[in-house]
Amino acid sequence: MEERIYIFDTTLRDGEQSPGCSMNIDEKVRMARQLEQLRVDVIEAGFPIASVGDFEAVNAIAQMIEHCTVAALCRTVRTDIERAWEAIRNAKKPRIHTFIATSDIHLVHKLKKTREQVLSDATAAVRLAKSLCEDVEFSCEDASRSDIDFLCKIVSVAIDEGATIINLPDTVGYAVPEEYGSMFRLVRERVSGIHGVTLSAHCHNDFGLAVANSLAAISNGVRQVECTINGIGERAGNAALEEVVMALRTRKETLGFDTNVNTEEIYKSSRLLSTLTGMNVQRNKAIVGSNAFSHEAGIHQDGMLKSRITYEIMTPQSVGIKHSTLVLGKHSGRHALKQRYAELGYELTNDDLEEVYRTFCAVADQKKDILDDDLIAMLEDRGHTAEEVYQLENIQVFSGTNLRPTATVEIRYHDKRFVDSATGDGPVDAAYKAIERITGITGKLTEYSIKSVTFGHDAIGEVFVRVDFDGVHFNGRAVSTDVITGSAKAYLEALNRAMMAKKRRQEQQSAAKEQPVAV
Ligand code: KIV
Ligand code: ZN
């Protein structure tokens, strides 16, 4: 039976205080709700003395969260501690987290205090915090660069004053795993009261070692890990929660630990944070990057199609991602290509596959990602061209300030003309709604862009759209001096491609049914 590691999430404190990651109160509350869904053990909601906004956010989160402990950060200063307590006193499970730097570098250059003064500040702070709140965490900022004897001394004092959690951060991401682990080992060996408290790791990622250091700390007696969603945080960030949690979950047999995190909420949490802060994760980010479950190399795709355990150490579903993707590009092989066509509803014979694979390789050399629509176009190029089933005859749009945009569209469909009108959020939206009313086909616009292809006030604009029809994406492109006309034409092109693909699929299916069955 594995032991439990407590996950202390500091996305809303250490994460939020880093450049480009600030959130307003409502956004912090939304994020905190998601962290509760994720089932972290502790949410560090902020640093209440820092600003009124910080205080209010911590206070709102403290009142709302049901199951997690809510921690508030404060220096070892009376006013800080009292303010932190005021912010969290109504929480179901409040925690005061007080900290002071312990390395000589910080004492000399930042605090300008002696070790004795720091010791006395820590003693008074933990005592005050404990008189207010049962759950008190004490952190030695820059612990990994602190003198070990002094570190043991201050930890011992904090425990005597009632601290329940002792956190020893690698504040500047300077430690390497063995060293960071051995700091905990030494503290455990030398501080007599240490076994009555929970030891905590808090790592920054300046060398990209934050997760490795956290795991080394766990091997040396740490049972709480402080981390952030997407690894956001000061400078290079903090240990990424998703990486720590998934390493522990996936390698449970080897490491012997697990967390209470609902890992299926990981991706959602990552996405929410990116949306709220506008800070996207890099494509190759472990666990939550868009490439984390994508395979492009032919050998990998072939392996994946035979058995996913060849190239995936955890399932995308286990972190809340629907499925892995085989990205079709110049490294893909026939097997993956055939599979994608099958998913799009086309069963290719070996001859079909050979022919289309040749075109595919030529296109893939020019174009990075090959989309579903490109694949369908490759089939069409072999004698099946898209018919202009729906043709734009006319379009008229009314829009202006204080006027709900209305579009009237006339479409020709097999020599018959149809006219309808609709209103929308903008003139293009109104036009697309009118097209939907006429055709009875609903598409979801997933991409829309306009670029100017000539210059001047009568410039020609090229409209590009990508539309999702029943889960398959089709592109449409049109040029016009009028962007609304161009937008309608581009949409109809995507729609006509979707109709063509559907027709081809139906033809294939009925041909397959008519095949004589061998007896
Ligand atoms: O990195 C650090 O030392 C901190 C402490 C305030 C816990 O964030
Ligand atoms: Zn930190």
Side-chain angles (χ1 to χ4, degrees):
M1 174 72 179
E2 68 277 347
E3 261 193 84
R4 163 97 173 266
I5 298 296
Y6 290 86
I7 295 296
F8 176 113
D9 180 278
T10 183
T11 305
L12 296 171
R13 200 278 298 169
D14 216 342
E16 202 265 347
Q17 76 192 34
S18 63
C21 292
S22 52
M23 288 175 250
N24 63 30
I25 299 179
D26 288 347
E27 290 166 340
K28 286 187 190 173
V29 165
R30 256 180 92 187
M31 194 65 219
R33 268 207 191 96
Q34 179 55 34
L35 291 171
E36 187 160 47
Q37 292 292 317
L38 184 64
R39 289 208 306 259
V40 302
D41 299 290
V42 185
I43 296 173
E44 184 164 54
F47 194 179
I49 197 80
S51 68
V52 174
D54 246 50
F55 175 88
E56 283 174 2
V58 177
N59 191 237
I61 291 167
Q63 300 196 34
M64 172 199 89
I65 291 296
E66 294 276 326
H67 306 292
C68 315
T69 295
V70 177
L73 186 71
C74 45
R75 291 168 299 183
T76 51
V77 173
R78 171 172 284 277
T79 44
D80 273 41
I81 299 168
E82 286 170 347
R83 190 75 169 143
W85 176 239
E86 207 185 322
I88 54 164
R89 64 184 310 155
N90 293 322
K92 293 233 159 50
K93 295 193 243 173
R95 175 183 296 178
I96 294 178
H97 178 193
T98 185
F99 76 99
I100 190 162
T102 51
S103 68
D104 289 336
I105 299 176
H106 278 236
L107 265 59
V108 172
H109 300 287
K110 185 182 82 175
L111 297 178
K112 308 207 184 302
K113 287 191 174 182
T114 62
R115 287 186 181 178
E116 285 62 40
Q117 283 171 312
V118 167
L119 216 47
S120 134
D121 285 1
T123 310
V126 177
R127 187 174 299 164
L128 172 62
K130 191 70 179 183
S131 72
L132 300 169
C133 181
E134 183 45 41
D135 190 355
V136 176
E137 174 167 338
F138 175 69
S139 286
C140 304
E141 193 189 8
D142 208 16
S144 56
R145 291 193 299 170
S146 301
D147 172 70
I148 190 72
D149 294 332
F150 181 58
L151 194 64
C152 289
K153 181 130 204 349
I154 200 164
V155 165
S156 175
V157 164
I159 295 172
D160 289 347
E161 293 300 334
T164 38
I165 317 282
I166 296 292
N167 182 40
L168 304 180
D170 180 28
T171 303
V172 287
Y174 179 72
V176 294
E178 214 191 293
E179 189 181 24
Y180 190 58
S182 74
M183 175 185 72
F184 284 100
R185 185 172 43 75
L186 290 174
V187 171
R188 285 177 80 215
E189 281 166 11
R190 295 190 195 175
V191 178
S192 54
I194 203 81
H195 300 290
V197 300
T198 302
L199 272 177
S200 169
H202 177 116
C203 298
H204 282 266
N205 207 27
D206 299 65
F207 287 147
L209 290 173
V211 173
N213 284 340
S214 305
L215 296 180
I218 291 173
S219 308
N220 285 280
V222 158
R223 294 296 174 266
Q224 173 180 282
V225 173
E226 305 198 351
C227 43
T228 59
I229 301 290
N230 296 343
I232 64 166
E234 284 288 350
R235 304 178 310 279
N238 288 63
L241 178 147
E242 59 278 9
E243 296 174 22
V244 173
V245 166
M246 289 314 290
L248 292 173
R249 177 71 46 93
T250 311
R251 302 302 311 276
K252 195 158 57 185
E253 268 76 44
T254 308
L255 300 174
F257 300 98
D258 202 358
T259 68
N260 192 38
V261 166
N262 176 6
T263 62
E264 288 171 16
E265 290 287 321
I266 283 179
Y267 187 61
K268 205 162 144 201
S269 311
S270 162
R271 296 287 311 162
L272 178 64
L273 183 65
S274 297
T275 309
L276 295 179
T277 59
M279 179 134 149
N280 293 328
V281 296
Q282 84 255 22
R283 288 179 78 135
N284 64 334
K285 163 82 182 63
I287 318 290
V288 291
S290 60
N291 284 359
F293 294 95
S294 294
H295 308 266
E296 184 175 337
I299 295 172
H300 290 210
Q301 292 185 340
D302 186 53
M304 280 291 294
L305 289 168
K306 287 172 177 152
S307 169
R308 54 154 290 276
I309 60 168
T310 52
Y311 288 102
E312 272 182 4
I313 57 169
M314 54 202 148
T315 64
Q317 293 81 8
S318 66
V319 298
I321 294 175
K322 282 205 182 76
H323 48 73
S324 336
T325 34
L326 302 187
V327 180
L328 291 176
K330 65 177 174 189
H331 306 293
S332 306
R334 291 173 180 75
H335 194 167
L337 187 63
K338 189 170 180 193
Q339 167 82 12
R340 186 65 197 139
Y341 272 117
E343 284 164 8
L344 293 173
Y346 301 94
E347 290 307 328
L348 301 193
T349 63
N350 285 346
D351 289 347
D352 279 342
L353 181 63
E354 270 318 306
E355 201 178 326
V356 91
Y357 184 66
R358 272 198 297 277
T359 321
F360 170 80
C361 290
V363 174
D365 257 344
Q366 316 283 327
K367 201 168 183 281
K368 204 181 149 355
D369 294 333
I370 310 264
L371 307 175
D372 296 342
D373 192 27
D374 297 314
L375 296 182
I376 291 163
M378 286 174 207
L379 276 185
E380 287 169 355
D381 277 352
R382 299 159 63 247
H384 305 271
T385 42
E387 287 168 42
E388 257 197 288
V389 189
Y390 294 105
Q391 269 176 283
L392 183 71
E393 285 287 318
N394 225 323
I395 181 163
Q396 220 175 44
V397 171
F398 291 101
S399 79
T401 324
N402 302 326
L403 196 70
R404 180 131 173 94
T406 310
T408 302
V409 175
E410 185 180 344
I411 284 177
R412 186 210 293 259
Y413 176 70
H414 295 312
D415 288 335
K416 290 205 181 81
R417 285 160 198 267
F418 298 86
V419 183
D420 213 329
S421 306
T423 58
D425 291 336
V428 174
D429 186 47
Y432 288 178
K433 291 215 166 93
I435 294 174
E436 257 176 43
R437 286 171 68 95
I438 295 171
T439 60
I441 301 167
T442 310
K444 197 166 143 232
L445 190 68
T446 58
E447 244 183 271
Y448 177 90
S449 63
I450 307 178
K451 78 169 191 251
S452 167
V453 284
T454 56
F455 298 102
H457 67 274
D458 56 350
I460 292 182
E462 182 185 43
V463 182
F464 168 82
V465 295
R466 184 168 299 156
V467 192
D468 175 343
F469 292 105
D470 285 334
V472 185
H473 289 82
F474 294 88
N475 292 347
R477 223 181 235 100
V479 285
S480 172
T481 48
D482 174 64
V483 290
I484 311 294
T485 306
S487 302
K489 283 188 168 168
Y491 187 90
L492 285 175
E493 188 181 86
L495 179 59
N496 285 331
R497 284 167 178 247
M499 300 306 294
M500 180 71 196
K502 190 170 166 196
K503 191 169 151 208
R504 285 252 310 141
R505 224 169 23 238
Q506 284 163 351
E507 279 169 9
Q508 273 207 344
Q509 279 156 6
S510 57
K513 270 195 208 127
E514 281 160 21
Q515 289 283 322
V517 181
V519 282

